Amino acid sequence: MTTTDQRWLTQLLSINKGSRFFLSALPLYSRVKDDPQKLVEFQSQFDKWIDSTGSKYVSRGSADYLRVR
């Protein structure tokens, strides 16, 4: 498991498996929500991580995310 995996999996600890959630449910969101540039980077990094894991832990919906495992 990589450091990046650990970072994002830590963010997912508060989200139950099988639950749908918005990016705003992740703890780091509160740090970036007031800075549009950082918010875009945060979402981009999260989406890239999802792609890099083959949606093993999270899958993307049209407006939200699904915690897979």
Side-chain angles (χ1 to χ4, degrees):
M1 182 176 299
T2 68
T3 303
T4 303
D5 288 344
Q6 290 175 349
R7 173 187 180 213
W8 289 114
L9 289 171
T10 299
Q11 292 297 302
L12 294 172
L13 287 175
S14 64
I15 299 170
N16 294 326
K17 295 173 186 169
S19 296
R20 293 199 165 281
F21 66 96
F22 293 100
L23 196 64
S24 60
L26 301 177
L28 278 177
Y29 178 85
S30 63
R31 292 187 187 172
V32 299
K33 69 180 180 180
D34 296 326
D35 184 331
Q37 179 62 33
K38 287 183 180 179
L39 183 57
V40 168
E41 289 173 16
F42 179 68
Q43 182 168 10
S44 175
Q45 291 172 358
F46 188 54
D47 289 344
K48 285 179 185 175
W49 175 73
I50 292 169
D51 291 341
S52 75
T53 63
S55 299
K56 182 177 180 179
Y57 303 101
V58 176
S59 67
R60 239 185 332 245
S62 59
D64 62 359
Y65 297 91
L66 172 66
R67 171 80 191 268
V68 179
R69 58 181 243 193

